[in-house]
Amino acid sequence: MSGSSARLQAIDSVIRYEPPAQSFSATETPGEVFGQNVFTTTVMKARLPKPVFKSMLATIEHAQPLDPAVADAVASAMKDWAIEKGATHYAHVFYPLTGLTAEKHDSFLEPDSSGASMAEFAGKTLMQGEPDASSFPNGGLRETFEARGYTGWDVTSPAYIMENPNGNTLCIPTVFVSWTGEALDHKTPLLRSQQAMASHAQRVLKLFGHAQPDAVVSYAGAEQEYFLIDRSFFYARPDLLASGRTLFGARPPKGQEFDDHYFGAIPERVLGFMLDSERELFKLGVPAKTRHNEVAPGQFEIAPVFEKANLATDHQQLLMTTMKRVAQRHGMEALFHEKPFGGVNGSGKHVNFSIGNSTEGNLLLPGDTPHDNAQFLVFCAAVIRAVHRYGGLLRATVASAANDHRLGANEAPPAIISIFLGEQLADVFDQIANGGATASKGKGSLVVGVDTIPALPADPGDRNRTSPFAFTGNRFEFRAPGSSQSIAGPMTVINTILAESLDFIADTLDAEIAAGADFDTAVQALLKDIITTHGAVVFNGNGYSEEWQIEAEARGLPNLRTSVDALPQWDTDEAKDLFEKYGVLNHRELESRYEVALEQYVLSVGVEARSTIEVATTTLLPAAIRYQTELATNAAALRSIDQPFESPTLNEVSAGIGELQAALATLATELARDTGKTAFDEAEHAGTELVPATLAVRSAADRLEAVVADNLWPLPTYQEMLFIL
Ligand code: ADP
Ligand code: MG
């Protein structure tokens, strides 16, 4: 088969594509579908004995400890409901350190001596599972003689039915821990961090005179960017299959420079996919809301309505798996990789977050009265202080081989973690630093209160797309997370560093008041102290500019450009003490996470290097050599009839082949090198040697792609993948 026939076949199948038949009735409304497959509190209310339901609600809504006595009743109701929904199996779903979702399925049906019978699904089975955990990464936490891991029911994330044409499964979200109770997953620390943040937020609220504040929670809304390409192209790209991104590909004549894709009309086939996946997500109770085209061709975004962070995190994972599945149904592949295509924008996952509770509402919403604003400014100051003190951890939590392609590349926020407050709020903090704010910029009237804090409008009006951490009127938006990442890591860090700041704030105010200060004066002094000490992290300018790199350095803000620079942030005494003090991760757990992050980095870079060698050696080099032969034959023929002949093309191809072979040899040598003892040594070698050596192979190959005859080139081109949908 000549090089391009796979490509032609792929194009042909795109042309012949027929959308799948509509699988639902036209009269169905989104309202009917929403939560259809979820064991919601409404379902519980209808099916559980009243006291059991009340107890469950106290845990789910108000963070009361779970009463294990209710488990049997819940399990029995859950099983009946699931079987009515066609479930034959149940699965504990957990979130190991790979960042993916894992499931262990068991049948409800258990054969006994009298033939098949329905097994009991007892409270015990609901509460705890025991998957064989030996093949999940644990960073040295699980001793080899004790490979078992345990899953434990997370009551706050509802069970749901996962449908499959061949049978349905009851899915139960769980934590995943070792036999010593150490966290092997992303959910456990998230729940712990949530608890820590809540307890210190409550202390602050009490100081503001709220006698009995409800449990504070963090909310998260994650905007998900992704690419869609036709599956025929996907299968014709071994690099995409192996590593999730294209390791080769010359720039297309047209990329994103016309800005003609962003918010443009959504292609019909893509819209069909979106409608279908939204319906599936609705069934699972995932509140998908916003959809639009993104900046790059073939790139799109979906954003759900924000939810409690733990639930939002589980839903985010469900969203990715569901969209991958539905895309396949529509003959496409959904790419969640941070940088599937060089030269066009990559994908991120902006994590919008706020904190609040049922009694006080959103604590990051500016209020109408000076008093409310004082409270708002205190919580806002807590965020500023937290981000300034622990920006390195925020950077580390988004570090991965894939995200290294985005951060600092003028399409995503820089690797420097700073906060954008908007002109108005920054001005208020400036005034506080200089002795107390009396005026709110952009407002006609001044509201001067006892505590001299002005009224603030909810929407500050301005937006900044270049900041990694932006205040957007009633929430912060952490814009650095990568598109394929779980948001559990970022939310765990945010909760933990906020817990520490709120703890500091409550302690400071307690001490001032004990020393006889009046509350308003103490708050003023505290705000002034925080903004003076931590204001360096506030930056409202252009985060993509050269000047910012220089200024940030002068301000003492770290600029951790790559994962190799950023990941050691997990390994500092400061980080270990922080996570241990707030009961989120003990030293061993944190060390294990550092270890796993390094391992994952090395594995990703290694897969890319090996895939690069394979594709270049077995696919691209042969194509180039065929073309070289053709040109050489032609040259020989012309010379044999005494035609004056020079072949710049032949020279170019020969030079390209030479460059490719040399780059391949270097890469192979680097891959084979013994890189040292520690996981960090390996990561450092991967980052400083393998990454550039892999890129050198690519640039030689891309140069060849630009000269080799198109009908010999074996890989679908960027133009084909990005523009044929
Ligand atoms: P953008 O203009 O930034 O692209 P989107 O509408 O795409 O905005 O996404 C905004 C996200 O922020 C949504 O997921 C939304 O639910 C979430 N969000 C809105 N308000 C809050 C809040 N108070 N706390 C957390 N997330 C929020
Ligand atoms: Mg958006």
Side-chain angles (χ1 to χ4, degrees):
M1 174 153 106
S2 93
S4 64
S5 52
R7 286 165 55 203
L8 293 176
Q9 267 176 21
I11 292 169
D12 193 50
S13 83
V14 176
I15 292 166
R16 287 171 195 283
Y17 166 80
E18 292 272 350
Q22 194 171 309
S23 59
F24 48 93
S25 89
T27 57
E28 178 190 270
T29 68
E32 280 169 53
V33 178
F34 194 80
Q36 201 179 67
N37 285 347
V38 185
F39 195 65
T40 56
T41 46
T42 317
V43 177
M44 285 187 223
K45 191 171 183 187
R47 289 174 177 257
L48 291 174
K50 218 172 193 162
V52 173
F53 174 67
K54 277 183 94 172
S55 165
M56 283 292 286
L57 207 60
T59 306
I60 296 168
E61 303 274 335
H62 306 291
Q64 297 299 310
L66 173 70
D67 173 8
V70 304
D72 275 328
V74 179
S76 157
M78 201 187 273
K79 185 189 76 177
D80 292 346
W81 172 79
I83 286 169
E84 282 166 33
K85 291 264 172 204
T88 54
H89 288 67
Y90 64 91
H92 276 199
V93 175
F94 53 102
Y95 308 92
L97 297 182
T98 51
L100 305 173
T101 308
E103 304 162 0
K104 186 197 180 216
H105 293 221
D106 281 291
S107 174
F108 280 124
L109 210 60
E110 210 167 78
D112 62 15
S113 51
S114 66
S117 70
M118 200 62 83
E120 273 299 290
F121 180 66
K124 198 162 61 69
T125 338
L126 169 63
M127 299 263 291
Q128 188 176 313
E130 204 186 301
D132 173 17
S134 50
S135 33
F136 293 106
N138 63 82
L141 259 192
R142 227 183 302 100
E143 308 299 334
T144 38
F145 61 83
E146 184 36 285
R148 262 174 300 177
Y150 296 88
T151 51
W153 181 30
D154 171 16
V155 187
T156 60
S157 185
Y160 56 90
I161 303 285
M162 187 57 96
E163 289 178 316
N164 180 286
N166 303 320
N168 297 343
T169 304
L170 167 67
C171 293
I172 301 153
T174 62
V175 295
F176 181 47
V177 295
S178 75
W179 68 291
T180 48
E182 282 168 322
L184 297 173
D185 68 346
H186 283 303
K187 185 188 268 289
T188 309
L190 174 57
L191 291 170
R192 292 174 181 163
S193 70
Q194 169 63 53
Q195 212 165 305
M197 188 279 292
S199 79
H200 295 290
Q202 244 154 326
R203 289 176 60 204
V204 173
L205 283 178
K206 282 188 179 154
L207 283 163
F208 271 92
H210 307 285
Q212 283 205 305
D214 191 12
V216 174
V217 285
S218 47
Y219 297 94
E223 301 165 57
Q224 173 76 58
E225 293 174 344
Y226 61 97
F227 280 84
L228 289 172
I229 66 168
D230 192 274
R231 280 205 110 194
S232 312
F233 294 132
F234 180 70
Y235 284 128
R237 294 283 316 211
D239 49 350
L240 259 181
L241 263 166
S243 72
R245 76 180 180 105
T246 54
L247 299 167
F248 301 96
R251 270 167 183 257
K254 179 185 169 195
Q256 65 192 38
E257 50 284 273
F258 288 97
D259 286 329
D260 50 359
H261 187 66
Y262 192 50
F263 277 53
I266 299 173
E268 183 174 298
R269 178 181 183 192
V270 172
L271 193 56
F273 150 79
M274 286 175 168
L275 290 166
D276 236 8
S277 48
E278 282 162 21
R279 179 169 177 272
E280 293 298 330
L281 290 167
F282 265 42
K283 284 199 228 168
L284 295 166
V286 179
K289 181 166 160 65
T290 309
R291 52 165 111 105
H292 56 77
N293 288 1
E294 259 304 325
V295 172
Q299 193 186 28
F300 304 90
E301 177 184 299
I302 178 168
V305 176
F306 67 96
E307 297 176 286
K308 287 181 182 173
N310 176 44
L311 190 57
T313 303
D314 290 1
H315 279 170
Q316 235 302 305
Q317 298 292 108
L318 261 180
L319 181 139
M320 288 192 287
T321 39
T322 304
M323 287 176 65
K324 269 216 168 289
R325 225 181 43 224
V326 176
Q328 288 169 6
R329 220 188 274 161
H330 287 258
M332 296 183 289
E333 188 70 26
L335 306 176
F336 290 106
H337 193 284
E338 281 73 5
K339 193 75 178 179
F341 303 99
V344 296
N345 270 17
S347 301
K349 180 139 60 196
H350 303 171
V351 179
N352 295 266
F353 83 92
S354 60
I355 58 176
N357 66 6
S358 63
T359 44
E360 270 65 59
N362 180 355
L363 297 170
L364 293 176
L365 183 69
D368 296 330
T369 68
H371 190 76
D372 285 347
N373 278 328
Q375 183 180 304
F376 159 72
L377 289 172
V378 163
F379 279 98
C380 206
V383 177
I384 293 171
R385 181 179 173 282
V387 174
H388 186 233
R389 289 200 67 180
Y390 299 107
L393 291 178
L394 287 167
R395 173 64 187 90
T397 193
V398 299
S400 71
N403 216 14
D404 279 0
H405 297 291
R406 292 177 63 238
L407 298 179
N410 283 4
E411 59 173 72
I416 306 160
I417 304 290
S418 66
I419 286 193
F420 169 83
L421 285 182
E423 204 190 332
Q424 189 205 28
L425 195 52
D427 178 63
V428 168
F429 273 109
D430 267 350
Q431 293 184 49
I432 291 169
N434 297 321
T438 50
S440 175
K441 217 173 176 168
K443 278 243 144 186
S445 58
L446 308 185
V447 182
V448 185
V450 274
D451 41 12
T452 62
I453 286 165
L456 301 163
D459 184 2
D462 46 357
R463 287 272 223 160
N464 179 313
R465 297 253 163 221
T466 67
S467 173
F469 214 99
F471 182 69
T472 55
N474 63 353
R475 61 187 186 270
F476 281 91
E477 181 176 350
F478 184 27
R479 305 179 64 245
S483 50
S484 70
Q485 270 195 295
S486 160
I487 64 167
M491 282 312 302
T492 300
V493 169
I494 288 170
N495 280 332
T496 308
I497 64 181
L498 261 181
E500 194 274 340
S501 267
L502 293 168
D503 184 14
F504 166 82
I505 286 171
D507 278 355
T508 308
L509 292 177
D510 278 344
E512 286 293 313
I513 291 161
D518 97 301
F519 183 68
D520 286 344
T521 315
V523 168
Q524 284 291 324
L526 172 85
L527 288 174
K528 183 173 177 182
D529 173 54
I530 290 180
I531 200 63
T532 311
T533 318
H534 302 287
V537 79
V538 177
F539 176 61
N540 285 324
N542 177 9
Y544 293 173
S545 69
E546 282 292 320
E547 299 86 75
W548 173 230
Q549 309 267 331
I550 298 159
E551 189 183 330
E553 193 177 341
R555 292 188 189 191
L557 301 179
N559 187 358
L560 306 166
R561 288 185 174 81
T562 67
S563 297
V564 180
D565 300 329
L567 289 174
Q569 294 290 316
W570 295 127
D571 198 35
T572 64
D573 289 341
E574 205 190 8
K576 289 182 192 169
D577 292 348
L578 170 79
F579 284 106
E580 183 139 305
K581 179 169 180 196
Y582 293 95
V584 177
L585 292 165
N586 65 30
H587 286 197
R588 264 165 56 84
E589 288 172 319
L590 190 62
E591 278 160 18
S592 79
R593 261 143 231 269
Y594 175 46
E595 198 75 15
V596 170
L598 290 171
E599 256 170 48
Q600 297 272 321
Y601 176 79
V602 171
L603 285 172
S604 307
V605 174
V607 166
E608 292 190 353
R610 284 190 297 278
S611 178
T612 294
I613 291 180
E614 185 191 282
V615 175
T617 310
T618 64
T619 309
L620 303 183
L621 202 52
I625 291 171
R626 271 181 210 140
Y627 189 46
Q628 186 188 38
T629 309
E630 210 174 276
L631 293 170
T633 311
N634 169 256
L638 289 172
R639 278 193 199 113
S640 74
I641 55 166
D642 287 333
Q643 288 288 319
F645 180 74
E646 275 191 46
S647 178
T649 312
L650 178 55
N651 295 341
E652 174 83 20
V653 171
S654 299
I657 289 173
E659 192 190 331
L660 183 57
Q661 282 168 328
L664 277 167
T666 309
L667 180 55
T669 310
E670 284 307 330
L671 252 183
R673 195 183 297 283
D674 180 5
T675 54
K677 290 184 190 60
T678 67
F680 181 77
D681 292 341
E682 281 188 52
E684 194 173 37
H685 173 260
T688 53
E689 305 299 337
L690 287 180
V691 168
T694 303
L695 201 60
V697 174
R698 178 189 183 142
S699 57
D702 290 357
R703 187 176 151 193
L704 282 168
E705 184 184 334
V707 281
V708 169
D710 184 68
N711 69 347
L712 291 175
W713 197 254
L715 296 180
T717 65
Y718 268 35
Q719 173 150 309
E720 287 159 356
M721 289 185 288
L722 290 169
F723 290 96
I724 304 182
L725 253 183

